[in-house]
Amino acid sequence: MLLRQLEYLVALARERHFAGAAAACHVSQPSLEGMHVGTVAAGRIGLAVLRRLAPFDAKLHCTDRTRLPESVERELNVTFHESAAAMAPHCDVVTVNAPLHPETEGLCGDELLGTMKRGACLVNTARAQIADRDAVGRALRSGRPAGYAGDVRYPQPAPADHPWRTMPHQGMTPHISGSSLSAQARYAAGTREILESRPAGRSATST
């Protein structure tokens, strides 16, 4: 997608349509500054996402079964919501950083997607099953949300006729974040931290 945009901008510049190129950059590359960005789950990964977004002056939101400490909410100026359904209508970008379990499977379905702003984007870097496969396709065709970004489909590898291969307004990247030895070490340490922070017999709900 970015390559196609670059080719388009180069073509405009060659024809000396500099105003058109500037307008294309402005429309296609919105700034995070002032945008409302919310994370579904604010555990280890979700909190790291919020910390990375804070310097861009985005207005931050989160929802999780376990609320962040009050000091962290103040530090990052995060607005807490009781549920994803309560948070989604306020956000220009909703990013999913939750683990897959019965409560999150299919969470991003017709009902939740229908509450999102027109022009908003859904970013799912968690498990594909958290987003309802067919609902996402229907939502993108309706314009609400305006885009979907992710790095994994279900099943994986996706068959040739998987609807996410052809649905509009989507950007899928290779699922390679865990390929390095350092990443594997971080994941092992994170898994141990989650297990040690939970009482025996109680499943972890945040990542």
Side-chain angles (χ1 to χ4, degrees):
M1 182 174 66
L2 290 176
L3 181 58
R4 289 197 298 271
Q5 290 176 345
L6 179 60
E7 290 172 344
Y8 174 62
L9 294 174
V10 169
L12 287 175
R14 284 174 176 168
E15 295 175 15
R16 309 188 73 78
H17 292 318
F18 300 117
C25 286
H26 177 74
V27 171
S28 62
Q29 302 294 333
S31 170
L32 276 171
E33 184 178 358
M35 275 194 170
H36 290 261
V37 183
T39 174
V40 177
R44 185 173 57 87
I45 295 174
L47 178 56
V49 170
L50 291 173
R51 290 193 182 282
R52 285 164 172 76
L53 288 169
F56 292 93
D57 291 328
K59 301 182 186 303
L60 303 178
H61 302 254
C62 75
T63 182
D64 200 309
R65 290 174 62 181
T66 303
R67 188 164 180 171
L68 290 171
E70 186 178 345
S71 59
V72 176
E73 288 187 357
R74 285 200 308 268
E75 173 197 350
L76 299 176
N77 196 22
V78 177
T79 300
F80 176 77
H81 301 266
E82 292 292 339
S83 66
M87 182 184 74
H90 300 278
C91 294
D92 301 299
V93 179
V94 173
T95 172
V96 181
N97 300 288
L100 176 65
H101 54 73
E103 292 182 24
T104 60
E105 185 170 4
L107 175 67
C108 299
D110 288 313
E111 184 175 352
L112 180 67
L113 296 171
T115 68
M116 293 181 67
K117 297 179 180 179
R118 287 197 175 276
C121 291
L122 176 64
V123 180
N124 180 13
T125 52
R127 297 291 178 241
Q129 299 99 305
I130 295 177
D132 183 299
R133 188 191 71 171
D134 296 327
V136 169
R138 287 192 294 269
L140 292 178
R141 289 180 177 86
S142 76
R144 181 182 296 176
Y148 178 89
D151 65 352
V152 66
R153 303 174 178 91
Y154 182 79
Q156 188 77 13
D161 62 349
H162 195 289
W164 287 9
R165 290 186 181 275
T166 56
M167 66 183 182
H169 315 304
Q170 53 89 11
M172 300 293 292
T173 60
H175 188 65
I176 59 172
S177 63
S179 61
S180 67
L181 291 176
S182 60
Q184 293 294 336
R186 287 198 306 273
Y187 297 158
T191 300
R192 179 175 179 177
E193 178 186 349
I194 290 170
L195 293 174
E196 291 179 344
S197 67
R198 301 286 170 175
R202 182 179 171 189
S203 61
T205 58
S206 298
T207 58

